[in-house]
Amino acid sequence: MAEIDTTYDSENIFAKILRGEIPCNKVYEDDHALAFHDINPQAPVHVLVIPKGSYVSNADFTANAPDAAIVGFMRAVGHVARILDLDAPGYRILANHGVDSGQEVPHYHVHVFGGRSLGPMLKTSD
Ligand code: 5GP
C-alpha cells in the first residue's frame, strides 16, 4: 500500500487565507472549519469548506486528523449547506484528491455546489 503524502506547503493559498494574509468572502467559521465562496464559481452557489488543521488531502485528513476534527469538519459542511438554504433544493459536495482529480490547492477542502440542477455526477468523456 502506498504511503500517504502528508507534505504540507504552508504557503498554499488556503493556508494564507486561514492566516488572514489573503481575503476571502467568508460564509462560516468555527473551531474546526472555515467556509468561503470560491473565487471562480462553477455553479450559482460554490463554497469551499476547509479544515483549520494543516492537511494536504482527503487521504491525509481522514488518516491523521483527530476524531474531533473530522466530526467537527463534517458538521461544518452540513451547517454551511443549511446556511446557504440548500437542504431543500439539494446540493453536491465534492473533494478532489491528487493528480487524477485535478486537485489544485494542496490543503484539504470540500466543494459545496448548488443553486441549479447540477446534471450528471461526472463527465462521461473527455
Ligand atoms: P481543487 O481543484 O483544488 O479541488 O479546487 C480549488 C478551488 O480553489 C478552485 O475551485 C479555485 O477556483 C479555488 N481557488 C483558488 N484560489 C482561490 C482563492 O484565492 N480564493 C478563493 N476563494 N478560491 C480560490
Side-chain angles (χ1 to χ4, degrees):
M1 200 163 58
E3 288 216 354
I4 295 169
D5 182 4
T6 60
T7 315
Y8 186 80
D9 171 13
S10 57
E11 293 306 307
N12 80 74
I13 201 90
F14 293 171
K16 291 181 179 178
I17 287 174
L18 272 176
R19 291 196 296 266
E21 295 168 10
I22 289 178
C24 70
N25 186 358
K26 183 158 80 173
V27 172
Y28 176 71
E29 182 171 14
D30 64 20
D31 288 348
H32 296 290
L34 174 67
F36 50 91
H37 291 278
D38 196 290
I39 204 167
N40 182 24
Q42 306 293 311
V45 178
H46 183 177
V47 166
L48 301 165
V49 190
I50 70 175
K52 291 219 163 154
S54 302
Y55 301 100
V56 187
S57 64
N58 184 63
D60 185 17
F61 185 64
T62 54
N64 298 318
D67 289 359
I70 295 173
V71 171
F73 178 74
M74 287 312 297
R75 286 203 196 283
V77 173
H79 192 65
V80 164
R82 274 190 293 285
I83 288 173
L84 296 167
D85 279 331
L86 294 176
D87 274 0
Y91 59 95
R92 180 172 294 158
I93 60 176
L94 177 151
N96 288 317
H97 170 92
V99 176
D100 274 1
S101 75
Q103 181 181 358
E104 288 172 14
V105 180
H107 178 112
Y108 178 51
H109 52 280
V110 166
H111 299 254
V112 180
F113 299 104
R116 65 166 166 79
S117 178
L118 293 166
M121 190 156 53
L122 287 178
K123 213 166 54 159
T124 49
S125 62
D126 290 332

